[in-house]
Amino acid sequence: MGFDDVIPVLGDFGKYQKRIYFLLCLPAITSAFHKLGNVFLLAEPQYRCRRPDEPSDAPYNLTNHEWEKWYPVGSWQKKFSCTIRSANITTQCSEFIYNYDDYGYTTIIEWNLTCEKAYLIATANSMFMVGVMLGSIIFGEASDRLGRKITFLMSSVMQVVFGVLAALAPEFWTFAVARMLTGAGASGVFLVAYVMGLEMVGPSKRLLAGMVVFIFFSGGYVLIALLAKLLPNWRHLQLALSLPGVIFIFYWWFIPESVRWLLSKNKVTEAKAVIQKCAKVNGVTIEDAKLDELLQKGEEEKKKENPKMTASVIDLFKHSNLRKRSLIIFFDWCANNITYYGLSWNTNNLSGNPYLNFVISGAVEIPANIFILLTLNRWGRKKILCGSMIVAGAALLTTMVAPTNSDWLTVVLAMIGKISITVSYGTVYIFSAEQFPTVVRNAGLGASSTFARLGSIVAPYINMMARIWKPFPLLVFGSLALSGGVLSLLLPETLNKKLPETLEEGENFGKKTKRQISLLNGIQVIETPKETDKSPNEAENADSTLLRKRDVSSEQL
């Protein structure tokens, strides 16, 4: 709208925008706190059955002789035991001795989430991601209807209130539900802050603004390990992850409402006040008459546009080419999300120091996001998405053949997979948005996001399968990433291409053209793999005209 004409006058990324954008990046840190905090809140320490002859506060460590005497040889990695042997009789036990050295006092210890109750660990993680999914739907709709500021305030309050309640939970299900609602609030905070940040900058800075926020997310990722190390009691850690969100409640007095949203709701007076404040800080003077002229120009251009036909996700499946591309995109979102969160939550199953593994897993995201920033508009979306997913899949599958005594190699390969899937995760947002026609773009992205959340809901249960076979999670994540990378080779490149507007253009977008030349001895079909620079409809008309001129019959076609 008119704000696009005003931004060049204000400056694409002036002093005022930078100040507000920095404040809007900070919520990404607490979003990481909540989305990945379960790695330590629900960390499963080593445990064994309590022997009849020892007190409940006995140390975990035993000599090899004592372990072999009391516990079956088949106990999982000799770190976790659900049974005890006495007089050659093996029985299940209900009391456990825990090892506090690795993670301190976690929810697993407090509520005995072990053995037959171990599935509750995955259930809590899945419930949290259900909350994230619901939060993105509810707060996304609210931000469009009620405004960005009020939605940001509501989600910030929700994030803090239920985060604190989770820390005070007296039993598991209260904790799980409170964490789920915390996830909904955290999702709303991140979503609204991200949108507001993008809406205040010009087109030339939009990619930069879209990627820097993820660097803040990675910073919060790394900080979780530090907090978990300093606060070994899970209740103290949950409070430390939740209370910083109080800061964002005070944003109500510092962050302006989105000018684009105000204009979309015809609140021109409020929008002009925000613009003038921005101009003052940026050292720019805009006369009211000039501002009215720019805003009016944008409104007139909007009215001149032909009304766009509306469409739904169902329409994507009525056309063969759109259906194929949509299914690939949905799979890519699911594969990226399940692999990203699966690897993030799986660091405790890797050998070595769990805190160091977690820090490395978060730190590798920073160069991954910088790589996207530097290459996405140079190398193209397709090359980066396919290449990064294939590399991630290959690295994770290679762990299957790594020597059993080379734990460091497994960790290195897992981190290569993590950095690669982070690259593809950042790319799929932009690439998929450019694949859908304009009339169904928002609906297509909403459906993609739903498939992504379904993937993250399933990921915790895949990680639980490490109890049966330790390499299983990496095998699944690697297979999904590799499959997504190969399937994405079928998608057309979108860099510097005219994006489809209608369903018809979307159906023809990226198709190869076929030219036929009549020869004296028959028909020769020449495939021209190079995509035309014309719009899909123009290219199709040109091909038809060319064929008619050469008198090629419909039967020969």
Side-chain angles (χ1 to χ4, degrees):
M1 297 194 302
F3 191 54
D4 286 327
D5 298 302
V6 176
I7 282 183
V9 180
L10 293 175
D12 277 5
F13 203 29
K15 183 178 179 181
Y16 182 79
Q17 291 105 310
K18 289 177 181 176
R19 180 189 303 170
I20 301 300
Y21 177 76
F22 172 76
L23 293 176
L24 291 173
C25 282
L26 296 180
I29 297 175
T30 58
S31 177
F33 283 178
H34 294 298
K35 288 186 176 181
L36 297 163
N38 275 355
V39 171
F40 296 103
L41 294 170
L42 290 163
E44 187 175 29
Q46 299 177 61
Y47 58 85
R48 59 177 176 81
C49 290
R50 185 175 74 85
R51 296 177 298 170
D53 61 337
E54 64 181 347
S56 58
D57 59 349
Y60 168 82
N61 294 319
L62 293 175
T63 63
N64 289 335
H65 173 72
E66 288 295 311
W67 187 276
E68 293 171 0
K69 175 182 176 182
W70 288 96
Y71 304 100
V73 177
S75 293
W76 182 32
Q77 301 173 349
K78 284 196 174 182
K79 295 180 179 179
F80 310 89
S81 175
C82 299
T83 59
I84 190 167
R85 184 170 53 198
S86 179
N88 293 325
I89 299 176
T90 301
T91 59
Q92 297 287 331
C93 62
S94 58
E95 295 184 62
F96 302 91
I97 300 298
Y98 294 95
N99 186 356
Y100 294 82
D101 294 339
D102 288 338
Y103 306 108
Y105 185 72
T106 70
T107 56
I108 310 305
I109 298 174
E110 179 157 342
W111 296 315
N112 281 332
L113 304 181
T114 59
C115 299
E116 70 276 3
K117 293 183 180 179
Y119 74 94
L120 293 175
I121 302 173
T123 299
N125 280 319
S126 292
M127 288 177 63
F128 179 86
M129 294 313 298
V130 169
V132 171
M133 179 174 67
L134 294 176
S136 63
I137 295 172
I138 296 170
F139 289 116
E141 181 71 17
S143 68
D144 288 337
R145 289 179 177 271
L146 306 177
R148 316 301 195 217
K149 277 187 69 172
I150 186 64
T151 304
F152 184 84
L153 177 64
M154 290 189 300
S155 54
S156 296
V157 172
M158 184 176 183
Q159 175 183 250
V160 173
V161 170
F162 287 102
V164 173
L165 285 178
L168 303 176
E171 43 80 38
F172 169 77
W173 288 109
T174 303
F175 168 80
V177 172
R179 283 283 299 167
M180 182 179 71
L181 296 174
T182 302
S187 178
V189 169
F190 180 82
L191 173 68
V192 177
Y194 184 81
V195 170
M196 292 178 73
L198 289 183
E199 287 182 337
M200 67 168 54
V201 301
S204 65
K205 302 296 183 182
R206 204 158 286 155
L207 177 60
L208 175 65
M211 294 311 304
V212 169
V213 66
F214 288 106
I215 296 177
F216 278 79
F217 184 92
S218 301
Y221 193 141
V222 173
L223 284 174
I224 295 172
L226 176 61
L227 291 173
K229 192 67 175 176
L230 295 175
L231 302 169
N233 186 300
W234 75 268
R235 293 185 185 273
H236 300 158
L237 176 60
Q238 175 62 29
L239 283 174
L241 298 178
S242 303
L243 291 179
V246 174
I247 297 173
F248 307 132
I249 297 175
F250 295 95
Y251 274 21
W252 179 264
W253 292 277
F254 299 99
I255 302 295
E257 180 58 270
S258 168
V259 173
R260 294 180 187 275
W261 183 83
L262 290 171
L263 292 174
S264 73
K265 300 298 182 181
N266 293 320
K267 298 184 178 184
V268 180
T269 302
E270 294 93 325
K272 288 171 64 177
V274 176
I275 292 172
Q276 290 292 6
K277 183 176 181 180
C278 178
K280 181 179 179 180
V281 176
N282 287 352
V284 177
T285 301
I286 305 179
E287 300 293 337
D288 284 342
K290 178 65 175 177
L291 181 55
D292 290 336
E293 179 185 343
L294 291 173
L295 294 177
Q296 184 64 28
K297 177 183 176 183
E299 188 63 26
E300 290 175 354
E301 290 176 353
K302 178 185 175 184
K303 291 179 180 178
K304 290 179 182 178
E305 294 179 355
N306 294 324
K308 298 291 191 300
M309 180 184 68
T310 59
S312 67
V313 175
I314 297 175
D315 293 301
L316 292 172
F317 293 90
K318 295 179 180 179
H319 308 274
S320 60
N321 197 31
L322 275 174
R323 180 169 59 247
K324 178 189 71 176
R325 295 210 314 269
S326 298
L327 289 174
I328 293 173
I329 291 169
F330 295 157
F331 181 83
D332 282 347
W333 277 70
C334 183
N336 272 279
N337 223 48
I338 199 171
T339 305
Y340 175 83
Y341 282 105
L343 288 176
S344 299
W345 291 331
N346 194 53
T347 53
N348 290 344
N349 288 331
L350 298 176
S351 301
N353 187 306
Y355 295 93
L356 180 59
N357 289 341
F358 189 84
V359 167
I360 295 173
S361 180
V364 297
E365 292 190 4
I366 297 176
N369 288 315
I370 294 175
F371 175 82
I372 296 173
L373 195 60
L374 297 177
T375 61
L376 198 61
N377 287 337
R378 295 183 181 182
W379 296 358
R381 285 81 158 108
K382 182 176 178 178
K383 289 180 181 178
I384 295 177
L385 178 67
C386 296
S388 57
M389 291 191 77
I390 289 173
V391 170
L396 296 176
L397 291 177
T398 302
T399 61
M400 300 298 103
V401 297
T404 55
N405 59 346
S406 299
D407 292 337
W408 65 269
L409 181 59
T410 301
V411 173
V412 169
L413 291 171
M415 293 309 150
I416 292 175
K418 180 62 188 301
I419 192 172
S420 300
I421 207 66
T422 301
V423 171
S424 66
Y425 201 175
T427 305
V428 75
Y429 274 84
I430 297 173
F431 191 38
S432 56
E434 295 172 341
Q435 294 284 335
F436 293 117
T438 300
V439 293
V440 73
R441 184 163 292 137
N442 284 338
L445 288 175
S448 299
S449 179
T450 300
F451 276 90
R453 301 308 171 200
L454 292 176
S456 58
I457 290 169
V458 173
Y461 292 100
I462 295 176
N463 280 336
M464 287 296 293
M465 295 302 293
R467 290 171 158 269
I468 301 173
W469 186 40
K470 190 175 180 180
F472 182 80
L474 296 184
L475 173 63
V476 174
F477 302 147
S479 300
L480 289 173
L482 183 62
S483 300
V486 173
L487 286 173
S488 297
L489 293 172
L490 300 175
L491 298 175
E493 177 58 77
T494 58
L495 180 64
N496 298 326
K497 300 291 182 181
K498 180 182 181 296
L499 300 184
E501 298 284 338
T502 65
L503 288 172
E504 182 182 3
E505 290 182 0
E507 174 66 12
N508 293 320
F509 184 65
K511 280 186 176 180
K512 311 296 183 183
T513 59
K514 181 182 289 186
R515 289 189 171 87
Q516 301 183 339
I517 301 175
S518 299
L519 299 177
L520 293 175
N521 58 351
I523 300 294
Q524 180 181 0
V525 180
I526 301 177
E527 298 286 349
T528 58
K530 183 177 181 181
E531 296 175 3
T532 177
D533 290 330
K534 299 178 181 180
S535 68
N537 289 333
E538 292 174 340
E540 186 176 58
N541 293 336
D543 290 345
S544 300
T545 304
L546 180 62
L547 292 175
R548 285 197 298 271
K549 287 183 178 179
R550 290 172 178 166
D551 297 324
V552 181
S553 67
S554 59
E555 290 79 12
Q556 289 172 321
L557 287 174

